[in-house]
Amino acid sequence: MLAEISIRNLGVIPEASAELSPGLTVLTGETGAGKTMVVTGLRLLTGGRADASRVRTGAEEAVAEGAFSTAGLPEDVSAKVAEIVENAGGSADENGEYVVSRSVKATGRSKAHLAGRTVPAATLAEMAGHLLTIHGQNDQLRLMSPDEQLAALDRFDPAITPLAQAYRETYREWRKAARELEERTQHKRELAQEADRLRFALDEIDAVDPVADEDTELAATIHRLQDVDALREAALNALAAIDGAEAAGGFGADDEAASTLVGQAASALDGASDEQLKELATRLHEVSSVLSDVSAELGTYLTSLPADADQLEALLTRQQDIRGLTRKYAPDVEGVLAWRAKAVKRLSKIDVSEEAVDKLKQQVSKLEKQLASRAKALSKAREAAAAKLGEAVSAELHGLAMPKAQLTVQVTRAGYSATGADEVAILLAPNKALEPKPLATSASGGELSRVMLALEVILAASSHGATLVFDEVDAGVGGRAAVEIGRRLARLATNNQVIVVTHLPQVAAYADTHLHVAKDVGDALVASGVAQLSEEARIEELARMMAGMDDSDTGRAHAQELFERAQREVAEMRA
């Protein structure tokens, strides 16, 4: 649900905000007052295209901000929204709401923020797709798309969802296996040549059989061998200085060992009554311990120094072999091993032997049979749902001043695609005697609006907690049809939040909340603001909408009657 929206410098609106409630909210106002700017702000919040021409004249940027709540939504939808926000690094505010903002510079650049984090506009679109749906004139045109019509049918029957998911999984596996089979059969010679090159390379690497980090260790060992005499002398001299020449294998040294002298110094201070000398004694014992450790490590180092004179030549040869691999396949041994792993994987996929090809053919055939079975089950479910959807929408249209209209949802078989083996077309006929035709050729603008509304009423019957926005869905409609549209929007708002931009008093009378967009025309600029109307103000606005009769007692009386009757119906719906 959209809890709040605020707009700044968008179109003719310098600054406006509104708290939005559950149920039906209508926005009304005179032509040009900026009603559709509210919808434009919502489109920005849902990741829509940022149009610099919408920035208010003289302003540097336009900003739209909204707060979304997932309270009342199905648990899986709430979890998905929370996951999107979490992946973006954001979190809900102290009210448990997700704050979304979008700014558009007059230069054309735009920025999007989700729950305190900067995100791409596509992230807003992904999140909003679970929370809010906007229906406007462009959205009506999208309803003519076969893909949108198929999606509408799939939404109608929840039983279709698992069948469609199972089909898609099999379709992906079948397409992958089919492409692999096509590659192996049509490019057999090229693949065989590639396989030979890979085998040669693998044999070359396996002949050397390098191990991880071997190149680094070889370089260090070779360096020691090349300078082994100097290294041994340095270590022996150090060991002799610490433990004496005899301990280092020497003879005839007159100087006492460092470890002996340090030990004598520590012993001299042991037992002293002065605290400062005691501390120095402790430190000398620590020095003695460190000398002992260094002495042990020097002994280990001397033992590890290579003594075989022929070892250097063998290691240099080994280093040369490994350099041959790193010149051809990767900069280091780690890279060579990674290249080998990829080569093994690739080789396993380009086996062009008759046995491998036959095995792959069997796999493709098995998947194709499974695909056909799942496509058939999906088509059967869609055909059953199509008949029910056509009847339900036709019944809705009969109440929308189209008393004899017949809507038909046609499902025809087609080739396998990612969505199934079906093509869906929504057809409309003025009555049963006439042949139904596609919406693009059979429906006027007003009729298309009513078809879309009827579809949404049917599709949203089982939903709750969603936010549905209708931008002048009642265009081209009047009289009794307008009353019926108001009733259906009110019914739709029983379990959902519905926001409607309307010019019809018959629709506005059914609202739970009435927002009015008013404009102030100055000498240089036009400014608009949004205000929530009290009941008395609603009556005046309804009278104005009824042919400008707000200054007439008769007009206000008609508006009062319309309002009270509509509100009684709403109360009965919610009872």
Side-chain angles (χ1 to χ4, degrees):
M1 185 184 81
L2 181 62
E4 186 178 355
I5 182 172
S6 62
I7 295 170
R8 188 170 73 252
N9 294 327
L10 189 61
V12 295
I13 300 178
E15 188 165 4
S17 63
E19 291 187 8
L20 299 171
S21 305
L24 176 59
T25 298
V26 297
L27 284 92
T28 66
E30 295 180 4
T31 301
K35 298 187 297 296
T36 56
M37 284 301 103
V38 177
V39 179
T40 300
L42 287 174
R43 289 190 185 278
L44 286 173
L45 294 180
T46 56
R49 187 174 69 90
D51 186 353
S53 66
R54 297 294 190 181
V55 179
R56 180 172 167 79
T57 302
E60 293 183 359
E61 67 174 1
V63 179
E65 185 173 292
F68 288 90
S69 170
T70 57
L73 284 170
E75 190 173 325
D76 60 329
V77 176
S78 297
K80 184 62 181 177
V81 172
E83 180 185 351
I84 293 170
V85 174
E86 184 178 344
N87 290 341
S91 60
D93 64 11
E94 64 274 12
N95 299 315
E97 297 169 350
Y98 301 113
V99 177
V100 177
S101 68
R102 187 91 179 274
S103 61
V104 184
K105 296 284 187 182
T107 56
R109 293 179 60 85
S110 72
K111 286 186 179 181
H113 293 85
L114 171 59
R117 297 289 182 178
T118 301
V119 296
T123 303
L124 297 189
E126 182 184 6
M127 187 196 80
H130 298 282
L131 299 175
L132 185 146
T133 304
I134 299 177
H135 297 284
Q137 292 179 353
N138 292 333
D139 305 283
Q140 293 173 24
L141 295 175
R142 284 205 301 270
L143 182 59
M144 298 182 188
S145 158
D147 291 341
E148 290 291 329
Q149 294 178 4
L150 184 144
L153 176 60
D154 287 356
R155 279 178 58 198
F156 174 65
D157 188 353
I160 293 176
T161 302
L163 295 174
Q165 179 63 30
Y167 169 86
R168 282 193 295 270
E169 290 174 359
T170 303
Y171 177 80
R172 283 194 292 267
E173 293 178 15
W174 171 71
R175 285 293 299 144
K176 181 180 178 182
R179 282 195 296 267
E180 192 173 336
L181 177 60
E182 181 182 6
E183 184 183 17
R184 291 194 190 190
T185 53
Q186 293 188 4
H187 305 282
K188 187 173 183 179
R189 178 177 296 179
E190 293 90 339
L191 290 172
Q193 291 173 348
E194 183 184 356
D196 286 342
R197 290 193 296 271
L198 289 173
R199 289 192 192 96
F200 176 83
L202 289 172
D203 288 343
E204 187 176 26
I205 293 172
D206 291 344
V208 177
D209 193 22
V211 296
D213 296 325
E214 185 178 0
D215 47 352
T216 304
E217 294 174 4
L218 269 175
T221 304
I222 288 171
H223 174 73
R224 284 185 179 183
L225 279 169
Q226 289 173 332
D227 203 19
V228 67
D229 292 337
L231 295 173
R232 182 178 287 109
E233 183 179 359
L236 284 171
N237 288 337
L239 187 60
I242 294 172
D243 290 341
E246 186 175 353
F251 298 95
D254 295 330
D255 296 335
E256 290 192 71
S259 56
T260 301
L261 294 174
V262 171
Q264 291 174 357
S267 298
L269 298 179
D270 282 340
S273 58
D274 186 79
E275 289 300 324
Q276 187 175 357
L277 292 181
K278 286 181 179 180
E279 182 184 349
L280 292 173
T282 301
R283 289 166 64 184
L284 284 170
H285 282 298
E286 291 173 356
V287 171
S288 179
S289 177
V290 170
L291 286 172
S292 177
D293 291 342
V294 172
S295 172
E297 290 183 30
L298 282 170
T300 302
Y301 177 82
L302 284 165
T303 304
S304 69
L305 285 175
D308 187 355
D310 297 328
Q311 187 180 5
L312 177 59
E313 185 176 349
L315 290 179
L316 287 170
T317 302
R318 177 68 175 173
Q319 187 181 53
Q320 208 52 32
D321 291 340
I322 288 178
R323 282 178 176 172
L325 298 180
T326 56
R327 278 195 300 268
K328 293 177 68 174
Y329 303 109
D332 53 30
V333 171
E334 290 286 344
V336 171
L337 294 174
W339 189 94
R340 183 189 182 283
K342 289 181 181 178
V344 170
K345 187 176 180 180
R346 173 60 180 162
L347 190 59
S348 69
K349 291 184 177 181
I350 59 173
D351 186 353
V352 291
S353 65
E354 291 297 328
E355 181 182 354
V357 172
D358 287 343
K359 184 178 179 181
L360 191 53
K361 284 180 180 178
Q362 292 173 10
Q363 182 185 1
V364 172
S365 177
K366 179 181 177 181
L367 285 170
E368 192 164 352
K369 289 178 182 178
Q370 187 179 27
L371 186 71
S373 174
R374 291 186 169 177
K376 184 178 180 180
L378 180 58
S379 297
K380 186 176 179 181
R382 282 173 172 164
E383 287 167 357
K388 294 178 182 177
L389 180 59
E391 292 176 4
V393 175
S394 295
E396 284 293 325
L397 291 175
H398 295 167
L400 292 172
M402 297 173 68
K404 296 183 180 180
Q406 293 295 314
L407 185 132
T408 304
V409 183
Q410 185 183 74
V411 180
T412 56
R413 296 296 174 89
Y416 296 131
S417 70
T419 56
D422 307 307
E423 288 182 352
V424 173
I426 296 180
L427 311 176
L428 184 67
N431 55 51
K432 290 183 178 180
L434 295 176
E435 181 183 356
K437 295 181 179 180
L439 288 177
T441 59
S442 63
S444 65
E447 288 172 336
L448 190 59
S449 295
R450 280 173 272 179
V451 169
M452 187 180 71
L453 176 60
L455 263 174
E456 195 61 61
V457 168
I458 297 300
L459 296 177
S462 59
S463 69
H464 59 88
T467 297
L468 305 169
V469 180
F470 294 91
D471 184 10
E472 298 196 1
V473 70
D474 48 19
V477 178
R480 184 173 295 277
V483 174
E484 294 299 336
I485 287 178
R487 285 184 180 136
R488 278 154 180 78
L489 289 169
R491 190 199 315 164
L492 192 59
T494 301
N495 296 317
N496 300 282
Q497 182 186 45
V498 179
I499 302 169
V500 182
V501 176
T502 184
H503 65 282
L504 294 177
Q506 297 96 322
V507 172
Y510 283 89
D512 298 290
T513 304
H514 191 148
L515 301 178
H516 181 250
V517 183
K519 66 178 178 180
D520 178 19
V521 181
D523 293 333
L525 292 173
V526 177
S528 291
V530 180
Q532 182 172 335
L533 300 184
S534 64
E535 182 174 328
E536 182 179 350
R538 289 185 67 177
I539 302 300
E540 290 188 11
E541 174 63 6
L542 291 177
R544 182 198 65 78
M545 296 171 73
M546 296 168 68
M549 299 174 67
D550 52 318
D551 59 350
S552 161
D553 291 340
T554 303
R556 283 195 289 272
H558 285 317
Q560 183 81 38
E561 181 183 1
L562 174 64
F563 177 75
E564 290 177 353
R565 186 176 67 245
Q567 291 299 306
R568 280 197 302 271
E569 290 185 28
V570 171
E572 290 171 3
M573 291 178 192
R574 311 285 168 81

